[in-house]
Amino acid sequence: MMKEQDKKYLLDSIRAIKDFPKKGIIFRDITTLLNNKNAFAFLMDHLVEKYQNKELDYIVGIESRGFIFGAALSARLKLPFVPIRKPGKLPFKCIQESYSLEYGTDSIEIHTDAFNDSKNAKVLLIDDLIATGGTAIAAIRLIEKLNAKCIEACFLLELKDLDGAKELAKLTSVYSILEV
């Protein structure tokens, strides 16, 4: 677990923008954390320490900010990185999973050979933020359709009021570094 002063350090490195993208929303802009070499290195060191002995086979990142953390972590842990993207963005044969939004539905995709046809690959799912959990739940369904197992879902930020982590915890272990 991360100490409270370390959490405060990371949270202070993330810019909060009021009324974006619409009135009443406080947008958490992680670009300021990424632009702070010490804060980003601190975060990645924490993730390496947490996951280096988990016997993972793959790191999966959700488009687009999950790519940043996932690719950096996979390089540090010397593990393959797998992207989950919006439809039409991956060039090879894909499977797709849809999920509900406040006003409609959306979908995400993964390559059918993402885990090199291995059975029971152990996967860490990573993204910057969990809100309602719809995207992460769809990502876990994709992982499972390819006969892999999501060992844990990791998020930099959890929006506590939206209960997404609680819903996701029905499918896998959830680790949120910061809660807002």
Side-chain angles (χ1 to χ4, degrees), residues 63-127:
E63 184 173 353
S64 66
R65 292 177 297 270
F67 292 3
I68 298 166
F69 301 113
L73 183 59
S74 69
R76 298 268 306 265
L77 294 177
K78 297 180 177 35
L79 291 172
F81 175 75
V82 174
I84 289 183
R85 301 206 63 189
K86 294 184 186 296
K89 301 289 185 177
L90 293 171
F92 189 64
K93 184 178 174 189
C94 295
I95 57 171
Q96 187 176 97
E97 185 72 29
S98 294
Y99 57 98
S100 295
L101 298 169
E102 189 176 357
Y103 301 106
T105 61
D106 207 348
S107 298
I108 52 176
E109 294 181 336
I110 191 170
H111 279 144
T112 56
D113 64 351
F115 306 120
N116 299 311
D117 299 320
S118 61
K119 303 282 187 236
N120 301 315
K122 292 185 245 168
V123 173
L124 172 68
L125 179 67
I126 192 164
D127 203 2

Side-chain angles (χ1 to χ4, degrees), residues 5 7-9 13-14 26 42 49 69-70 97-98 103 108 134 139-140 152 162 170:
Q5 71 258 23
K7 288 181 181 184
K8 182 178 179 344
Y9 170 65
S13 74
I14 298 169
I26 299 174
F42 178 79
E49 183 178 325
F69 301 113
E97 185 72 29
S98 294
Y103 301 106
I108 52 176
I140 289 174
E152 188 160 83
L162 298 179
K170 295 174 184 175

Side-chain angles (χ1 to χ4, degrees), residues 1 6 15-16 22-23 27 34 47 54-56 58 75 77 80 94 109 121 134 137 147-148 158 169 177 180:
M1 283 305 268
D6 294 338
R15 179 172 34 211
K22 62 183 183 178
K23 192 160 181 64
F27 183 81
L34 299 172
L47 292 174
K54 295 286 186 189
E55 298 180 19
L56 297 167
Y58 294 87
L77 294 177
C94 295
E109 294 181 336
I137 290 168
N147 299 310
E158 175 186 340
I177 300 165
V180 291

Side-chain angles (χ1 to χ4, degrees), residues 16-28:
I17 301 173
K18 293 181 181 177
D19 299 323
F20 182 83
K22 62 183 183 178
K23 192 160 181 64
I25 303 289
I26 299 174
F27 183 81
R28 305 296 174 164

